[in-house]
Amino acid sequence: MKIELHAHTSEVSPCSGISAADIISGYHNAGYDAVVITDHFNFYVLEGFNIDNETDRVKRYMLGYELARKAAAKYGMKAILGVEVCLRHEKGGDLLLYGIRPETLCAHPYLYDYSMQQLRDICDKEDILLFKAHPFRGVCDVDVTKLDGAEVYNGCPRHDSRNDLALSWAKEHNLIFSSGGDCHLPEDIGRAGIVSDILPENSLQLRDLLRSGNYSLIRAQE
């Protein structure tokens, strides 16, 4: 089973140029079985919705995932909820959350304003895995002791993510490995992800799969 762990829909992430439906059809054509929708959960995206009601704003954030889920059902695929959060007042850059549920976002609609320790506490309480996205695309200034894993391969062709450094760093700190396409455009499809013997049904099963380590990484250059 081929699973993409890092994709952004144009319905939610302003930096994306591909819709949820086109993401799913593209990954279906590339032979994938599941896509994790990790739209940006940050100040600029959430405030950009211009929705005052916190519940409605989170519901608006979920639109990309919901559209992907409906599209995936037509192909017998799975669309799985993930989140890419950037903490507004902290160093560390983009962080990927696996095993998150909509209820957690509704309970923490200002997650991007939390400290790294507060985020870690929520992940511990809710049993969510916290990964660093593309750790060496810029300066890696995240507190590694707060992480469960790292994206050791980022397949976005428009960035130098220095994946070799990310892999060495993750090995040094005994982090869980992931590979993600960081899909924003059609040409990003099929460049990364994981291969597993099982297909997770939801975010909690994906969390358990990543924690198990029973998968291999997809890397475009290999």
Side-chain angles (χ1 to χ4, degrees), residues 23-179:
I23 287 173
I24 296 300
S25 64
Y27 276 97
H28 170 71
N29 292 336
Y32 281 66
D33 302 281
V35 179
V36 184
I37 302 299
T38 54
D39 278 319
H40 293 287
F41 196 91
N42 59 35
F43 172 79
Y44 302 103
V45 170
L46 274 292
E47 294 295 325
F49 293 150
N50 293 316
I51 299 173
D52 292 331
N53 181 275
E54 296 169 354
T55 300
D56 290 342
R57 188 163 53 171
V58 171
K59 184 177 179 179
R60 173 64 181 84
Y61 170 81
M62 295 286 293
L63 177 62
Y65 161 69
E66 293 293 348
L67 292 173
R69 187 174 60 83
K70 292 177 181 178
K74 299 176 183 178
Y75 296 106
M77 296 174 64
K78 296 294 180 183
I80 297 172
L81 179 64
V83 167
E84 183 169 358
V85 64
C86 184
L87 303 179
R88 185 156 59 130
H89 305 298
E90 286 268 357
K91 295 180 179 179
D94 295 321
L95 301 159
L96 294 163
L97 304 180
Y98 297 114
I100 195 163
R101 298 172 299 152
E103 294 85 350
T104 303
L105 292 177
C106 289
H108 303 280
Y110 298 100
L111 191 67
Y112 48 81
D113 275 336
Y114 290 5
S115 69
M116 189 67 174
Q117 184 59 58
Q118 287 175 310
L119 178 60
R120 181 68 259 174
D121 291 343
I122 292 168
C123 289
D124 289 339
K125 181 180 178 181
E126 302 287 341
D127 199 12
I128 297 166
L129 293 180
L130 178 58
F131 279 57
K132 178 69 181 80
H134 42 73
F136 288 91
R137 183 175 292 178
V139 176
C140 186
D141 52 5
V142 67
D143 181 354
V144 69
T145 66
K146 302 294 194 298
L147 299 175
D148 298 297
E151 191 174 60
V152 301
Y153 179 80
N154 181 284
C156 183
R158 293 172 301 282
H159 295 281
D160 179 7
S161 295
R162 298 191 288 171
N163 293 312
D164 54 340
L165 290 178
L167 178 59
S168 297
W169 178 75
K171 287 180 178 178
E172 177 185 353
H173 295 287
N174 197 31
L175 299 175
I176 303 170
F177 298 168
S178 74
S179 168

Side-chain angles (χ1 to χ4, degrees), residues 3-14:
I3 306 165
E4 170 60 76
L5 295 176
H6 188 168
H8 299 277
T9 71
S10 59
E11 287 87 357
V12 174
S13 296

Side-chain angles (χ1 to χ4, degrees), residues 153-212:
Y153 179 80
N154 181 284
C156 183
R158 293 172 301 282
H159 295 281
D160 179 7
S161 295
R162 298 191 288 171
N163 293 312
D164 54 340
L165 290 178
L167 178 59
S168 297
W169 178 75
K171 287 180 178 178
E172 177 185 353
H173 295 287
N174 197 31
L175 299 175
I176 303 170
F177 298 168
S178 74
S179 168
D182 202 357
C183 180
H184 287 75
L185 294 172
E187 57 261 37
D188 304 339
I189 290 173
R191 296 179 54 85
I194 60 174
V195 179
S196 168
D197 289 336
I198 64 171
L199 179 62
E201 293 287 326
N202 51 47
S203 61
L204 303 187
Q205 290 185 14
L206 173 67
R207 172 203 64 201
D208 294 343
L209 172 61
L210 291 171
R211 185 174 281 147
S212 76

